[in-house]
Amino acid sequence: MKRPRVFVTRPLPGKALERLHAFADVTMREKEDIVSKEELLDNVKGKEALLCILTDPVDGEVIAAANQLKVISNYGAGYEKIDVEAATRKGILVTNTPGALTETTADTTMGLLIAAARRIVEGDRYTRECRYEGWGPSFFLGHDVYGKTLGVIGMGKIGTAVAKRAIRGFEMKVLYNDRGGIEPEAEKLGARSASLEELLKESDFVSLHVPLNAQTKNLINEETLKLMKPSAILVNTSRGNVVDQHALAMALKEKRIAAAALDVYEDEPRCPVELIPLPNVVLAPHIASASEETRMRMADMAVQAIVDFFSGKTPENPVNPTVLKKK
Ligand code: DGY
């Protein structure tokens, strides 16, 4: 078999790239900063595979420049930076790495939820500033998590894993809203399906687990924020643009909701300046899946997709499987 030519946009954790080097002719960008459009345009030419990460701008122009490309393996579950329609029109398969990061992202979601509810990050700052002067009955009060109602928007793999933690670990009541097919496991957990309106009105915590697309962009906006309880806490580990960030900043500033915990932002990695002065928001730099084990698993999966594709096997996670049917 002829060795495929692969462009890898940056080094990945673990040993997966060693396997790729053994299998293919690999051109790898050694830097770990953001890959520019120009670098992508220069490097996709003549390559049969592209291994990119979820923030790389693989748009229509890049796909048009890719004269030999057969497969794009995305290191990440979210692939909104890839023009999948353009890839599909050119018969290029796109794959991603869902599953690899489910449990890690669900763990982080619960961590953020608790951090916001119990004001842990705010308390950390307070203590570091040596402002703590003694325990008091009304000192630094937050909100309970145990036994409360959690609304999960997007009951896919990660939403279901969060619901499982909430129900089994914290005896929470879980409402979920999902437009697509839900994970079979969600049914067995005892979570209840609800309209978006009911979920927002009833939940003490709302956690977002939808992909970013035309239907979910700004799903949480000025209007939907108004439906939430003044004591409610919003957690977002999905994509920044699922929330209207300005509307959220206003709601937090005016205490129309109690708090938020965010891992993702609009226009990343631009600093979310409006949120910075607000004490009632926990801010993390898109690290929900950032554990050593998970990032290595994602690398294994992304490399395996390329190996499988050129070995005549169907990769595990095709995003546009219609391309395979036409072959
Ligand atoms: C993904 O894979 O889409 C996640 O955002 C990574 O944390």
Side-chain angles (χ1 to χ4, degrees):
M1 189 194 72
K2 196 172 151 283
R3 286 163 66 83
R5 290 180 298 272
V6 186
F7 177 51
V8 181
T9 63
R10 77 204 62 220
L12 300 176
K15 298 201 181 305
L17 287 178
E18 288 175 22
R19 281 199 301 128
L20 190 61
H21 278 281
F23 179 80
D25 288 340
V26 177
T27 305
M28 188 177 78
R29 191 175 164 274
E30 298 289 342
K31 291 181 280 181
E32 300 210 15
D33 58 351
I34 292 173
V35 63
S36 70
K37 180 82 170 288
E38 289 62 39
E39 285 174 287
L40 277 173
L41 286 169
D42 281 352
N43 282 288
V44 290
K45 285 189 194 115
K47 305 295 188 310
E48 280 126 355
L50 169 65
L51 197 164
C52 58
I53 68 163
L54 57 101
T55 50
D56 294 337
V58 187
D59 61 10
E61 221 184 312
V62 171
I63 286 167
N67 52 354
Q68 314 264 320
L69 202 62
K70 295 185 173 59
V71 59
I72 300 171
S73 176
N74 181 51
Y75 181 88
Y79 50 83
E80 70 281 356
K81 293 277 178 169
I82 301 176
D83 188 335
V84 176
E85 275 178 30
T88 307
R89 278 196 300 274
K90 272 188 97 172
I92 299 169
L93 180 71
V94 179
T95 65
N96 66 343
T97 61
L101 48 91
T102 304
E103 304 302 341
T104 305
T105 305
D107 286 350
T108 312
T109 302
M110 292 309 289
L112 287 169
L113 184 154
I114 295 167
R118 308 308 302 276
R119 303 173 62 187
I120 291 172
V121 178
E122 211 187 327
D124 175 273
R125 277 195 296 264
Y126 192 85
T127 312
R128 283 172 199 278
E129 288 164 7
C130 296
R131 291 164 65 197
Y132 173 53
E133 286 175 354
W135 191 96
S138 305
F139 175 66
F140 245 97
L141 303 187
H143 295 270
D144 273 337
V145 173
Y146 182 85
K148 292 285 186 74
T149 298
L150 169 67
V152 176
I153 302 182
M155 198 66 155
K157 285 185 169 51
I158 299 172
T160 302
V162 169
K164 197 194 285 179
R165 283 158 177 73
I167 292 170
R168 298 197 182 152
F170 293 86
E171 302 210 20
M172 294 174 94
K173 177 176 158 194
V174 174
L175 302 175
Y176 69 87
N177 179 267
D178 195 289
R179 293 172 193 226
I182 64 156
E183 289 289 302
E185 209 185 335
E187 296 283 328
K188 290 189 223 135
L189 285 171
R192 181 170 73 73
S193 171
S195 68
L196 185 64
E197 187 176 338
E198 187 195 359
L199 181 150
L200 292 171
K201 282 183 173 164
E202 296 298 318
S203 298
D204 300 300
F205 298 90
V206 173
S207 193
L208 305 174
H209 301 286
V210 287
L212 176 64
N213 55 40
Q215 287 77 46
T216 60
K217 185 159 191 238
N218 290 343
L219 183 74
I220 300 299
N221 54 42
E222 199 179 336
E223 294 312 308
T224 45
L225 281 162
K226 278 188 193 147
L227 297 173
M228 292 173 68
K229 297 179 185 181
S231 57
I233 293 177
L234 178 73
V235 184
N236 189 10
T237 54
S238 64
R239 284 296 182 264
N241 288 309
V242 173
V243 177
D244 176 338
Q245 200 163 284
H246 173 69
L248 174 63
M250 295 313 289
L252 289 167
K253 197 171 167 186
E254 292 163 11
K255 309 242 169 58
R256 281 188 270 117
I257 64 168
L262 310 174
D263 186 48
V264 285
Y265 308 90
E266 64 178 29
D267 201 13
E268 283 179 33
R270 191 164 58 102
C271 180
V273 276
E274 266 189 301
L275 298 168
I276 304 293
L278 305 175
N280 53 346
V281 58
V282 175
L283 305 172
H286 203 150
I287 51 170
S289 71
S291 74
E292 289 186 10
E293 299 89 334
T294 284
R295 292 293 169 85
M296 283 194 249
R297 247 192 325 267
M298 288 165 68
D300 284 337
M301 222 181 230
V303 164
Q304 194 59 44
I306 294 174
V307 172
D308 282 346
F309 181 85
F310 290 102
S311 306
K313 293 188 207 144
T314 302
E316 198 185 336
N317 298 297
V319 167
N320 54 349
T322 51
V323 164
L324 293 167
K325 287 193 195 116
K326 285 188 203 144
K327 292 210 181 291

